[in-house]
Amino acid sequence: MKKKHQYILYIFWVIFVAVLACNKIEDAQYQKPSEVNALINTSSDNSGNITITPNSNGGISYLINFGDTLNKFYSVLQGYSLNHKYKEGQYVVTIKAYSFDAQVDSITKPITITFNSPQNLVINITKDANLLRNITVSPTADYATAFNVYFGDVANEVPIQINKDSSAKHSYANPGTYKIKVVALSGGSNTLTDSSKSVTITLNQIDLPINFEDPNVYYKTIDFGGDLTVDATDPLNPNNKVKKTTKPSGADTWAGVTIGDTNGLANNLPLTATKTMISVLVYSPAANIPVRLKIENKLNLNQSVETEVLTKSANAWDTLVFDFSKPVSGTPAWSASVPYNKISIFFGFGSAGTGQVFYFDDIKIAANNQVVTTLALPIDFQSSGIDYASKITDFDGGHLTVVANPNSSGINTSTTVAKMIKGPGGQTWGGSYLLVDAPISFTSKIFKMKVYSPRLGAKVLLKFENITTSSINKEVELTTTKVNEWEELSFDFSTIDLSGGKTYQKVVIIIDNGTRGDGTANYTFYLDDIKQN
């Protein structure tokens, strides 16, 4: 009961004090704030941060405008502070002090924010041990709030800006020595520049096999004659890196591209007397376009070998095999004593540029026992990799196919040969031609062909013709001396015209030129082993 009486007395006492206080407030006369001021602390680290602590006589709250935004005030109670971040410059701070009954007094205080100039700039450069093109730049400086970093590899370079305690990464396209420039920023107008540091990027020299995928290899190419070669993406596979060569209108007939820089390949090509082939993956706009591959001694460019094949299809990847044991006519032969360490490729060799675009990839030494897919002399009609039908063109009644040898005996025991029929309804000059993949090399001008004839004295014409200009040709005609038996005829082309770079890729065969065929056994012949002596 005693505790209950004490509690009631306590409640009455609180009510009494409250009423008394209210009467005193009503009777009081409030004081207008005066002597308004503020304590302003400015950071020295170029952050622009300040702390404002307002004070006055009679003020219980404040509104503060920092002078960098129009008519925007922030409130704070007596005894508390506000933080604010400035850019470098001059500002006028407005402080309004309020009493309990909303009487107000105000002052303005000018404030100048000046950032210290950066000092002690240090440029730290780290080279990536795994990716030789890549570096990381990590600058430090007293009083710096940010950095502009220039890597020195492009004209009119736009810098990368990083904050303090951050790093900038970069990957160089080419090897070389580059000047690194760093500008330390204070956050205001003061800066400090250092361009004394350099970095040397060294990449691995190009070498076979070449696939354009290794980021540490310098896949430089050198165009000549008007060709334009760039890095590109495989037109059929966006994940595959290749080279793209454009032969624009006006490009020279001999325009091409050297694969590698002036230093050539890192090592000599490992060609031998029994390993003479290089394969290149080529994406061509059309079939039957001549592609020439040339290898050289980079220290003596007179020591070179050139060989040539035809593209096989349009808008598809084909592996072209270049056999340097079969050089283009008029070019040097391969020699085991020459260090070949430079390689160039010529698309559409012999024709001026028309804007055609080629892609190439995967340049490597080819095994000499790999299946040959390109047609070249000697022609034995035995290769499982050659589509002979696509290489044969019949005209005016002639018809040439590859068949089983009808009489595997004597000088010709091969399993497959060519069968020539001169059919009815054609012309007296009816025949067929084989299109070889590269111009014929006339290192020897005596050519031989095995013939199986149904009669004595049949005329057999062998003719070589330019791939595009039929008037550039040479023909030699002989007669058979055996019946239903293989014999070898020898054709002398010693007077063929090779002047002015004339080339020949069509191997034309006509039986009994001047007489119409009837398609019978009397006009059915078998041919094989067309070769140079």
Side-chain angles (χ1 to χ4, degrees):
M1 190 71 179
K2 183 177 179 181
K3 288 184 178 180
K4 182 176 180 182
H5 284 292
Q6 288 177 340
Y7 178 75
I8 294 173
L9 288 173
Y10 175 74
I11 294 297
F12 276 112
W13 182 81
V14 170
I15 294 172
F16 173 78
V17 171
V19 171
L20 181 62
C22 288
N23 289 334
K24 287 185 177 182
I25 289 174
E26 289 177 356
D27 294 338
Q29 188 173 9
Y30 298 111
Q31 180 182 4
K32 179 181 178 180
S34 62
E35 299 182 20
V36 180
N37 205 338
L39 177 64
I40 300 177
N41 289 323
T42 304
S43 64
S44 61
D45 61 357
N46 287 5
S47 65
N49 292 326
I50 70 162
T51 300
I52 296 182
T53 307
N55 58 78
S56 67
N57 291 329
I60 63 169
S61 66
Y62 302 87
L63 290 179
I64 299 176
N65 175 269
F66 292 101
D68 54 355
T69 55
L70 185 64
N71 296 325
K72 188 170 184 179
F73 285 82
Y74 299 84
S75 62
V76 63
L77 294 176
Q78 172 72 27
Y80 290 87
S81 303
L82 284 179
N83 296 320
H84 191 65
K85 185 179 183 70
Y86 280 106
K87 295 180 180 180
E88 188 176 48
Q90 294 182 334
Y91 306 92
V92 175
V93 178
T94 300
I95 302 172
K96 294 182 179 181
Y98 289 85
S99 66
F100 188 84
D101 60 349
Q103 295 185 75
V104 62
D105 192 15
S106 65
I107 63 166
T108 58
K109 292 182 71 70
I111 183 171
T112 299
I113 304 298
T114 302
F115 292 160
N116 297 316
S117 295
Q119 299 174 13
N120 304 318
L121 174 58
V122 177
I123 303 174
N124 300 297
I125 301 173
T126 303
K127 297 172 71 172
D128 193 319
N130 296 315
L131 296 173
L132 304 181
R133 301 171 183 270
N134 294 357
I135 67 166
T136 301
V137 177
S138 305
T140 62
D142 297 336
Y143 304 115
T145 60
F147 301 90
N148 284 341
V149 181
Y150 300 79
F151 296 97
D153 56 345
V154 296
N156 303 315
E157 182 177 2
V158 176
I160 291 178
Q161 188 169 108
I162 58 174
N163 294 324
K164 68 175 183 178
D165 302 322
S166 298
S167 299
K169 297 181 181 295
H170 189 66
S171 181
Y172 287 96
N174 301 316
T177 299
Y178 300 93
K179 183 79 73 174
I180 304 295
K181 175 183 174 182
V182 174
V183 179
L185 307 177
S186 65
S189 59
N190 295 323
T191 63
L192 177 63
T193 300
D194 186 349
S195 57
S196 63
K197 282 292 186 75
S198 295
V199 62
T200 298
I201 301 298
T202 303
L203 300 178
N204 296 330
Q205 192 173 347
I206 196 169
D207 205 8
L208 266 61
I210 299 170
N211 60 14
F212 306 114
E213 297 290 339
D214 189 339
N216 292 328
V217 173
Y218 184 38
Y219 292 115
K220 170 73 173 177
T221 56
I222 301 174
D223 292 309
F224 50 88
D227 269 3
L228 299 172
T229 302
V230 297
D231 294 328
T233 299
D234 184 336
L236 302 182
N237 179 4
N239 297 317
N240 186 36
K241 296 177 182 178
V242 299
K243 289 288 186 178
K244 173 184 175 182
T245 296
T246 302
K247 192 169 185 178
S249 296
D252 292 313
T253 58
W254 45 266
V257 53
T258 296
I259 303 160
D261 60 11
T262 54
N263 294 318
L265 303 175
N267 296 288
N268 297 334
L269 291 169
L271 298 176
T272 66
T274 58
K275 186 182 289 186
T276 59
M277 297 179 181
I278 293 177
S279 65
V280 183
L281 200 59
V282 173
Y283 183 98
S284 170
N288 297 322
I289 296 176
V291 179
R292 181 171 294 197
L293 198 65
K294 180 180 182 180
I295 57 176
E296 302 170 85
N297 176 2
K298 65 186 178 184
L299 300 179
N300 183 356
L301 300 184
N302 292 321
Q303 296 178 328
S304 64
V305 191
E306 301 176 32
T307 188
E308 191 171 299
V309 298
L310 297 177
T311 57
K312 294 183 284 188
S313 55
N315 301 319
W317 286 104
D318 287 311
T319 299
L320 303 185
V321 179
F322 299 85
D323 188 351
F324 288 95
S325 69
K326 301 174 182 178
V328 174
S329 176
T331 67
W334 177 82
S335 171
S337 64
V338 174
Y340 299 105
N341 41 39
K342 181 179 178 181
I343 187 167
S344 301
I345 192 165
F346 308 75
F347 295 104
F349 187 87
S351 299
T354 59
Q356 288 182 311
V357 176
F358 302 82
Y359 298 84
F360 63 97
D361 196 8
D362 293 340
I363 305 168
K364 59 187 178 181
I365 300 296
N368 273 32
N369 61 354
Q370 80 174 65
V371 175
V372 177
T373 59
T374 56
L375 185 62
L377 267 62
I379 302 173
D380 60 10
F381 303 105
Q382 294 289 127
S383 175
S384 61
I386 296 176
D387 180 6
Y388 288 103
S390 69
K391 304 294 184 181
I392 296 171
T393 300
D394 299 320
F395 57 88
D396 299 320
H399 184 57
L400 186 69
T401 56
V402 177
V403 299
N405 189 343
N407 188 351
S408 182
S409 63
I411 64 170
N412 190 9
T413 58
S414 64
T415 57
T416 53
V417 297
K419 179 181 181 180
M420 167 69 81
I421 299 175
K422 192 169 187 179
Q427 300 294 335
T428 60
W429 58 80
S432 303
Y433 71 81
L434 292 149
L435 182 64
V436 296
D437 284 276
I440 296 167
S441 172
F442 289 90
T443 51
S444 170
K445 296 178 182 178
I446 303 299
F447 291 80
K448 294 186 176 184
M449 181 169 64
K450 292 174 183 175
V451 179
Y452 187 91
S453 172
R455 49 191 163 86
L456 290 173
K459 294 186 293 183
V460 180
L461 183 146
L462 182 62
K463 177 181 179 181
F464 295 128
E465 188 176 301
N466 181 265
I467 189 172
T468 57
T469 306
S470 60
S471 60
I472 301 175
N473 68 80
K474 176 63 178 177
E475 59 187 48
V476 176
E477 190 174 59
L478 300 174
T479 57
T480 60
T481 61
K482 294 183 179 182
V483 178
N484 296 329
E485 182 182 347
W486 285 104
E487 66 175 314
E488 188 172 60
L489 302 181
S490 184
F491 300 82
D492 186 355
F493 282 86
S494 59
T495 59
I496 193 168
D497 183 9
L498 300 176
S499 64
K502 292 183 178 68
T503 60
Y504 302 82
Q505 279 181 249
K506 290 181 179 180
V507 180
V508 185
I509 302 168
I510 301 174
I511 301 298
D512 274 343
N513 188 26
T515 304
R516 293 181 188 275
D518 60 13
T520 66
N522 202 40
Y523 281 91
T524 300
F525 292 72
Y526 296 89
L527 314 168
D528 201 9
D529 294 334
I530 306 170
K531 62 183 181 180
Q532 288 173 290
N533 189 26

